Amino acid sequence: MNGNLNCHFVSRFLTKPWEFGQRRLYFYNVKTGRFDDKSSRSLFARRGINSAEIEHRLDQLIETPLASAIKDWGREPQDRVIPIDDWPAFRALALIFMMQVPRGAQDASLARELAEMCSWPDSKADEYAHGMNQVYTIGTFRPPATFPLFYPSKGYFMIPLIGDPPLHCGAMAIPLTERLAIVSVPRSFEEERFRAILSLGGGEFVCNMSVGTNAERVVVHPSVMARARPEDLGAHITKMQKNNLTLLQALSDMKSVAVAAFAEIGMTPGEALNWMGTRKRT
C-alpha cells in the first residue's frame, strides 16, 4: 500500500454534480447532527487504503468508462435500459454495483474482497458482467426536478421492491447526478410495479431513500441547502434513514417468511415467481 495515496471510496467524478465553489460539498453528519462542507478531494477519501494497482484498475474498469457515458445519459430525455452491447459502459456498471459495497464499507475483510476483484483479468470481469445481465436489468431513472437526490457516504442506496409475493428486498441504486441515477433491478421483478414505486409521492419516495440507511455523511445538493432550514433538513435526513432501515428490514423479514412457505410445498423462489406470473396472465 502507498500510505500517501489519496484513495476515494466514492469516486470523485460521481459527486461532482453536488459540488459548489472550489469543488466543495455540503454534507450532513448524521452522528454529530451538524452540517458542514469539505473539499470533494477529501470528503469520501482516505490515504493509503488501496494500492496504486487497485486504484489504476478501478479507474480502468469503472471510472473512465462511466465518466464519458454519464454525459450521454444525462442528455437523454427519457430513462432507458443500458444494453449489454453498450460495452464497456455496461461492464463498468455491473462491476460498480458489485465493488461499491466493499469499497464504501471501509472494512478490512471487505477490502481484501475488493483487492481480489481488482486482480481479475478482463476475461473474468467480462464473465461477471454477462452473468449480471442474466439476472438484473440495469437502467437509468430520473426523479422529478423538485426532488434532487442526496449522495450517501456508502456510495449507493436501496429502493424497496414491494412485490407480490414478497420475494425481493431492494434494488441497488447509485446517484450519477442530482437528477439521474442508475439502478439494477432483478429481472424477475415486474417492470410496471417498479415504475410505480419510482413514482410514489411524485418522486419524493426515491429522494428520501437516497439518504441511505446507515450512511454517516449525506451530501446535499446546493439547491436544497439554499431553500431549506438546516435544522429541519437535518431532522428529515435522520428520520428518513430510520424509516428506510425499518422498511428494508421488514421486506427482508417478509421475504424470509415467503421463501420458507414456498419451500414447504417444494417450490424455489424462482419457481414461485414463475407460478405467480402465470396466474396473473390467466
Side-chain angles (χ1 to χ4, degrees), residues 13 62-75 88-89:
F13 80 93
I62 295 175
E63 297 179 4
T64 295
L66 281 189
S68 58
I70 288 171
K71 294 178 182 178
D72 295 332
W73 297 335
R75 287 191 289 264

Side-chain angles (χ1 to χ4, degrees), residues 3-279:
N4 293 319
L5 191 65
N6 191 47
C7 305
H8 284 84
F9 51 89
V10 174
S11 297
R12 194 181 186 193
F13 80 93
L14 289 174
T15 59
K16 187 174 182 179
W18 284 261
E19 292 177 354
F20 71 96
Q22 299 299 309
R23 301 207 66 180
R24 300 187 71 80
L25 295 167
Y26 289 118
F27 68 96
Y28 179 68
N29 188 315
V30 178
K31 282 192 171 182
T32 65
R34 295 181 179 180
F35 281 94
D36 204 345
D37 65 84
K38 196 170 184 178
S39 168
S40 62
R41 179 174 174 79
S42 57
L43 179 59
F44 293 150
R46 288 196 303 166
R47 292 199 174 275
I49 58 175
N50 293 328
S51 66
E53 291 77 15
I54 290 175
E55 288 292 298
H56 174 72
R57 191 62 170 154
L58 288 169
D59 179 72
Q60 181 185 48
L61 289 173
I62 295 175
E63 297 179 4
T64 295
L66 281 189
S68 58
I70 288 171
K71 294 178 182 178
D72 295 332
W73 297 335
R75 287 191 289 264
E76 294 174 350
Q78 295 181 332
D79 299 343
R80 74 178 182 104
V81 171
I82 308 301
I84 195 167
D85 57 5
D86 190 357
W87 205 270
F90 182 90
R91 183 179 71 173
L93 290 172
L95 293 173
I96 196 174
F97 280 117
M98 175 183 63
M99 292 183 174
Q100 189 54 48
V101 174
R103 193 178 183 186
Q106 304 175 67
D107 176 87
S109 61
L110 291 177
R112 288 191 291 272
E113 287 185 23
L114 178 64
E116 180 182 352
M117 289 183 283
C118 286
S119 71
W120 288 355
D122 283 355
S123 58
K124 188 166 183 178
D126 292 350
E127 181 182 352
Y128 175 83
H130 281 283
M132 180 91 169
N133 184 55
Q134 296 297 314
V135 182
Y136 294 93
T137 297
I138 298 178
T140 59
F141 75 89
R142 292 162 175 75
T146 48
F147 298 111
L149 294 170
F150 295 92
Y151 214 114
S153 56
K154 295 291 184 181
Y156 66 93
F157 64 96
M158 301 300 294
I159 300 174
L161 296 180
I162 307 165
D164 178 20
L167 292 174
H168 305 87
C169 294
M172 188 174 178
I174 295 176
L176 302 179
T177 76
E178 77 279 14
R179 310 240 183 266
L180 178 70
I182 200 80
V183 62
S184 64
V185 185
R187 289 188 178 274
S188 54
F189 195 80
E190 297 176 26
E191 181 180 353
E192 184 177 346
R193 187 182 290 268
F194 182 65
R195 291 294 168 188
I197 292 171
L198 291 182
S199 65
L200 287 173
E204 185 176 9
F205 177 73
V206 173
C207 174
N208 288 338
M209 293 304 304
S210 70
V211 304
T213 55
N214 58 354
E216 293 184 4
R217 287 163 288 178
V218 178
V219 171
V220 182
H221 195 264
S223 64
V224 177
M225 292 296 298
R227 67 174 187 259
R229 294 176 56 192
E231 57 270 29
D232 294 339
L233 182 57
H236 176 76
I237 291 172
T238 300
K239 180 181 178 181
M240 287 304 102
Q241 280 202 347
K242 292 178 180 177
N243 289 351
N244 295 349
L245 183 60
T246 298
L247 177 55
L248 289 166
Q249 184 59 58
L251 285 174
S252 178
D253 293 343
M254 290 168 64
K255 176 183 177 181
S256 297
V257 171
V259 168
F262 281 114
E264 285 292 319
I265 59 173
M267 296 180 78
T268 66
E271 290 170 336
L273 287 166
N274 289 335
W275 174 66
M276 290 296 292
T278 301
R279 285 186 61 202

